[in-house]
Amino acid sequence: EMEAKYTRKMQALRDEMDLRRKTELHELEERKNTQISELMGNHEGAFGAIKNYYNDITAKNLTLINLLKEQVEDLKKKEAVLEKEKAEVLLQNKELTGPLQESRELVAELQKKLVHYYRDKEALMNSKAHLKITQKELKDLQWEHEVLEQRFSKVQAERDELYQKFTRAINEVQQKTGFKNLLLERKLHGLLSLLEQKEVELSEVVTASNLSPSALSLVSHKLEDVLNSKNATIQDLQLQLARVCKAHNDMLQTFEAKLTAFGIPLDNLGFQPLSFP
């Protein structure tokens, strides 16, 4: 019974499901047919619009093609005219090539002359400016020359006066130093002669006295002390002589420098500087 009951329920459910499925299929079929109808209508409308659009474009293109053909014909005619004109212009250019080359060479030469002209003009302006500066410098130099001539006359007078004073002073100093040098030399020669004489006398005394070695040593030491004293005196005299000669020579060098500064020849001195070995 339960099996028969559930079989009946299952059959009823199947019938119900089949009915629902058929109903849904029918609804779906109707919606599909509706959409297909709408799509077909839309497509036909779009196709008509596109067909009209491209028909318009085709018509416009045909019109443009015809127009372009006319323009091409006009351009061909213009091209033929331009080719003819080009041939004429080429012939004229060929005829003008010679004069053009001559004109170019003339222009190049004139440009060079123009460059030289500007350069000469600038050099002339610089020369004028330099001439003005030189003239001003010449005036200044003339004025300085006059001033220097006046100063030269004054310095020349002072030079002559100084020359006379220096000459007198040099003569006086030369006389004094010469006299003093002569005295020192005589004194030095006298001391040397006296020393030689004392050495000879000492040698004779030593030979004649037959002194003992100790006494002879004592006498020799004393003699060496005397000789050292005399040598010191001689060196002192030599140093004095050298100082006097150096002072004399320094004074002469100063005098020569002054004479050279004043433009006086050195041959006018009339004497030579003293020298000391």
Side-chain angles (χ1 to χ4, degrees), residues 34-64:
T34 304
Q35 289 179 358
I36 289 171
S37 299
E38 291 177 356
L39 286 173
M40 289 179 67
N42 292 332
H43 288 170
E44 288 178 359
F47 178 75
I50 292 173
K51 185 176 179 181
N52 294 329
Y53 174 74
Y54 281 106
N55 288 331
D56 293 337
I57 290 176
T58 304
K60 290 180 180 178
N61 289 334
L62 290 174
T63 305
L64 181 61

Short mmCIF file of all heavy atoms in Angstrom, two decimals, residues 34-64:
data_model
loop_
_atom_site.label_atom_id
_atom_site.label_comp_id
_atom_site.label_asym_id
_atom_site.label_seq_id
_atom_site.Cartn_x
_atom_site.Cartn_y
_atom_site.Cartn_z
N THR A 34 9.91 36.67 -29.19
CA THR A 34 9.74 38.14 -29.08
C THR A 34 11.08 38.85 -29.30
O THR A 34 11.18 39.84 -30.02
CB THR A 34 9.15 38.51 -27.71
OG1 THR A 34 7.91 37.80 -27.53
CG2 THR A 34 8.91 39.99 -27.61
N GLN A 35 12.13 38.34 -28.63
CA GLN A 35 13.47 38.96 -28.77
C GLN A 35 13.98 38.84 -30.19
O GLN A 35 14.59 39.78 -30.73
CB GLN A 35 14.45 38.29 -27.80
CG GLN A 35 14.19 38.63 -26.34
CD GLN A 35 15.17 37.93 -25.40
OE1 GLN A 35 16.02 37.15 -25.87
NE2 GLN A 35 15.00 38.18 -24.10
N ILE A 36 13.72 37.66 -30.80
CA ILE A 36 14.18 37.49 -32.18
C ILE A 36 13.48 38.50 -33.08
O ILE A 36 14.09 39.10 -33.97
CB ILE A 36 13.91 36.05 -32.65
CG1 ILE A 36 14.87 35.10 -31.94
CG2 ILE A 36 14.08 35.91 -34.16
CD1 ILE A 36 14.55 33.61 -32.17
N SER A 37 12.16 38.67 -32.84
CA SER A 37 11.42 39.64 -33.65
C SER A 37 11.98 41.05 -33.45
O SER A 37 12.16 41.82 -34.41
CB SER A 37 9.93 39.60 -33.28
OG SER A 37 9.39 38.30 -33.55
N GLU A 38 12.26 41.40 -32.16
CA GLU A 38 12.82 42.72 -31.89
C GLU A 38 14.18 42.88 -32.55
O GLU A 38 14.49 43.94 -33.15
CB GLU A 38 12.92 42.93 -30.38
CG GLU A 38 11.56 43.07 -29.70
CD GLU A 38 11.69 43.21 -28.19
OE1 GLU A 38 12.85 43.13 -27.69
OE2 GLU A 38 10.67 43.42 -27.51
N LEU A 39 15.04 41.84 -32.42
CA LEU A 39 16.38 41.93 -33.01
C LEU A 39 16.30 42.06 -34.52
O LEU A 39 17.07 42.83 -35.13
CB LEU A 39 17.20 40.69 -32.63
CG LEU A 39 17.70 40.65 -31.17
CD1 LEU A 39 18.35 39.29 -30.89
CD2 LEU A 39 18.68 41.78 -30.91
N MET A 40 15.38 41.28 -35.12
CA MET A 40 15.27 41.36 -36.56
C MET A 40 14.80 42.75 -36.98
O MET A 40 15.31 43.32 -37.96
CB MET A 40 14.28 40.29 -37.06
CG MET A 40 14.84 38.87 -36.96
SD MET A 40 13.65 37.61 -37.52
CE MET A 40 13.59 38.01 -39.26
N GLY A 41 13.87 43.31 -36.21
CA GLY A 41 13.42 44.68 -36.52
C GLY A 41 14.56 45.68 -36.36
O GLY A 41 14.76 46.56 -37.20
N ASN A 42 15.31 45.54 -35.24
CA ASN A 42 16.45 46.46 -35.02
C ASN A 42 17.48 46.32 -36.13
O ASN A 42 18.05 47.32 -36.62
CB ASN A 42 17.08 46.20 -33.66
CG ASN A 42 16.16 46.58 -32.52
OD1 ASN A 42 15.31 47.49 -32.67
ND2 ASN A 42 16.29 45.89 -31.38
N HIS A 43 17.77 45.07 -36.48
CA HIS A 43 18.79 44.84 -37.51
C HIS A 43 18.35 45.40 -38.85
O HIS A 43 19.16 45.97 -39.59
CB HIS A 43 19.09 43.35 -37.63
CG HIS A 43 19.87 42.82 -36.46
ND1 HIS A 43 20.07 41.47 -36.25
CD2 HIS A 43 20.48 43.44 -35.42
CE1 HIS A 43 20.77 41.31 -35.16
NE2 HIS A 43 21.03 42.51 -34.63
N GLU A 44 17.08 45.23 -39.16
CA GLU A 44 16.59 45.78 -40.42
C GLU A 44 16.68 47.30 -40.43
O GLU A 44 17.07 47.91 -41.42
CB GLU A 44 15.15 45.31 -40.65
CG GLU A 44 15.03 43.84 -41.01
CD GLU A 44 13.57 43.41 -41.18
OE1 GLU A 44 12.70 44.29 -40.99
OE2 GLU A 44 13.33 42.24 -41.50
N GLY A 45 16.35 47.92 -39.26
CA GLY A 45 16.46 49.38 -39.18
C GLY A 45 17.91 49.85 -39.32
O GLY A 45 18.22 50.80 -40.04
N ALA A 46 18.81 49.13 -38.58
CA ALA A 46 20.23 49.50 -38.65
C ALA A 46 20.77 49.27 -40.04
O ALA A 46 21.54 50.09 -40.58
CB ALA A 46 21.03 48.69 -37.62
N PHE A 47 20.36 48.17 -40.66
CA PHE A 47 20.84 47.89 -42.00
C PHE A 47 20.37 48.97 -42.98
O PHE A 47 21.12 49.41 -43.86
CB PHE A 47 20.34 46.50 -42.44
CG PHE A 47 20.74 46.13 -43.81
CD1 PHE A 47 22.05 45.75 -44.10
CD2 PHE A 47 19.82 46.15 -44.87
CE1 PHE A 47 22.42 45.40 -45.39
CE2 PHE A 47 20.19 45.81 -46.15
CZ PHE A 47 21.50 45.43 -46.42
N GLY A 48 19.12 49.39 -42.81
CA GLY A 48 18.62 50.46 -43.67
C GLY A 48 19.40 51.75 -43.47
O GLY A 48 19.73 52.46 -44.42
N ALA A 49 19.69 52.05 -42.16
CA ALA A 49 20.45 53.28 -41.89
C ALA A 49 21.85 53.20 -42.48
O ALA A 49 22.35 54.16 -43.09
CB ALA A 49 20.52 53.51 -40.38
N ILE A 50 22.47 52.02 -42.27
CA ILE A 50 23.83 51.85 -42.82
C ILE A 50 23.80 51.92 -44.34
O ILE A 50 24.67 52.51 -44.98
CB ILE A 50 24.42 50.52 -42.33
CG1 ILE A 50 24.68 50.59 -40.82
CG2 ILE A 50 25.69 50.17 -43.07
CD1 ILE A 50 25.09 49.27 -40.22
N LYS A 51 22.78 51.30 -44.92
CA LYS A 51 22.68 51.32 -46.37
C LYS A 51 22.52 52.75 -46.87
O LYS A 51 23.19 53.18 -47.83
CB LYS A 51 21.48 50.48 -46.78
CG LYS A 51 21.33 50.32 -48.27
CD LYS A 51 20.16 49.39 -48.58
CE LYS A 51 19.99 49.23 -50.10
NZ LYS A 51 18.84 48.34 -50.44
N ASN A 52 21.66 53.52 -46.18
CA ASN A 52 21.50 54.93 -46.57
C ASN A 52 22.80 55.72 -46.39
O ASN A 52 23.17 56.55 -47.21
CB ASN A 52 20.35 55.56 -45.76
CG ASN A 52 19.01 54.94 -46.10
OD1 ASN A 52 18.77 54.51 -47.24
ND2 ASN A 52 18.11 54.88 -45.11
N TYR A 53 23.51 55.42 -45.25
CA TYR A 53 24.78 56.13 -44.95
C TYR A 53 25.81 55.88 -46.05
O TYR A 53 26.44 56.80 -46.58
CB TYR A 53 25.29 55.69 -43.57
CG TYR A 53 26.65 56.22 -43.22
CD1 TYR A 53 26.82 57.56 -42.87
CD2 TYR A 53 27.76 55.38 -43.25
CE1 TYR A 53 28.08 58.03 -42.56
CE2 TYR A 53 29.02 55.84 -42.95
CZ TYR A 53 29.19 57.19 -42.60
OH TYR A 53 30.43 57.66 -42.31
N TYR A 54 25.97 54.57 -46.36
CA TYR A 54 26.97 54.26 -47.37
C TYR A 54 26.54 54.72 -48.76
O TYR A 54 27.37 55.02 -49.61
CB TYR A 54 27.29 52.76 -47.37
CG TYR A 54 28.22 52.39 -46.25
CD1 TYR A 54 27.75 51.71 -45.12
CD2 TYR A 54 29.56 52.71 -46.31
CE1 TYR A 54 28.60 51.37 -44.09
CE2 TYR A 54 30.43 52.38 -45.28
CZ TYR A 54 29.94 51.70 -44.17
OH TYR A 54 30.80 51.38 -43.14
N ASN A 55 25.21 54.72 -49.01
CA ASN A 55 24.75 55.29 -50.27
C ASN A 55 25.11 56.76 -50.38
O ASN A 55 25.56 57.23 -51.44
CB ASN A 55 23.23 55.09 -50.41
CG ASN A 55 22.85 53.63 -50.68
OD1 ASN A 55 23.64 52.88 -51.28
ND2 ASN A 55 21.67 53.22 -50.25
N ASP A 56 24.92 57.49 -49.24
CA ASP A 56 25.31 58.91 -49.23
C ASP A 56 26.82 59.06 -49.46
O ASP A 56 27.27 59.92 -50.22
CB ASP A 56 24.90 59.56 -47.91
CG ASP A 56 23.38 59.62 -47.77
OD1 ASP A 56 22.71 59.59 -48.81
OD2 ASP A 56 22.90 59.70 -46.61
N ILE A 57 27.59 58.20 -48.74
CA ILE A 57 29.06 58.29 -48.89
C ILE A 57 29.46 57.99 -50.32
O ILE A 57 30.34 58.65 -50.91
CB ILE A 57 29.74 57.32 -47.91
CG1 ILE A 57 29.56 57.83 -46.47
CG2 ILE A 57 31.22 57.17 -48.22
CD1 ILE A 57 30.12 56.90 -45.42
N THR A 58 28.83 56.96 -50.89
CA THR A 58 29.16 56.60 -52.27
C THR A 58 28.84 57.75 -53.22
O THR A 58 29.64 58.07 -54.12
CB THR A 58 28.40 55.34 -52.68
OG1 THR A 58 28.69 54.29 -51.76
CG2 THR A 58 28.78 54.91 -54.09
N ALA A 59 27.72 58.37 -53.00
CA ALA A 59 27.35 59.49 -53.86
C ALA A 59 28.34 60.65 -53.70
O ALA A 59 28.78 61.26 -54.68
CB ALA A 59 25.92 59.95 -53.53
N LYS A 60 28.68 60.90 -52.44
CA LYS A 60 29.65 61.99 -52.19
C LYS A 60 31.01 61.66 -52.81
O LYS A 60 31.67 62.51 -53.40
CB LYS A 60 29.80 62.22 -50.69
CG LYS A 60 28.57 62.85 -50.06
CD LYS A 60 28.79 63.05 -48.57
CE LYS A 60 27.55 63.67 -47.92
NZ LYS A 60 27.71 63.85 -46.45
N ASN A 61 31.41 60.40 -52.66
CA ASN A 61 32.71 60.00 -53.22
C ASN A 61 32.70 60.12 -54.74
O ASN A 61 33.70 60.52 -55.35
CB ASN A 61 33.06 58.58 -52.81
CG ASN A 61 33.43 58.48 -51.33
OD1 ASN A 61 33.89 59.47 -50.74
ND2 ASN A 61 33.24 57.32 -50.73
N LEU A 62 31.56 59.74 -55.35
CA LEU A 62 31.48 59.86 -56.80
C LEU A 62 31.59 61.34 -57.23
O LEU A 62 32.28 61.68 -58.19
CB LEU A 62 30.16 59.26 -57.30
CG LEU A 62 30.06 57.72 -57.21
CD1 LEU A 62 28.66 57.26 -57.59
CD2 LEU A 62 31.10 57.06 -58.11
N THR A 63 30.89 62.18 -56.45
CA THR A 63 30.98 63.61 -56.75
C THR A 63 32.41 64.11 -56.57
O THR A 63 32.94 64.87 -57.38
CB THR A 63 30.03 64.39 -55.83
OG1 THR A 63 28.70 63.87 -55.96
CG2 THR A 63 30.03 65.86 -56.18
N LEU A 64 33.07 63.64 -55.45
CA LEU A 64 34.45 64.07 -55.17
C LEU A 64 35.41 63.55 -56.24
O LEU A 64 36.33 64.26 -56.67
CB LEU A 64 34.87 63.55 -53.78
CG LEU A 64 36.28 63.93 -53.32
CD1 LEU A 64 36.41 65.45 -53.24
CD2 LEU A 64 36.56 63.28 -51.96
#
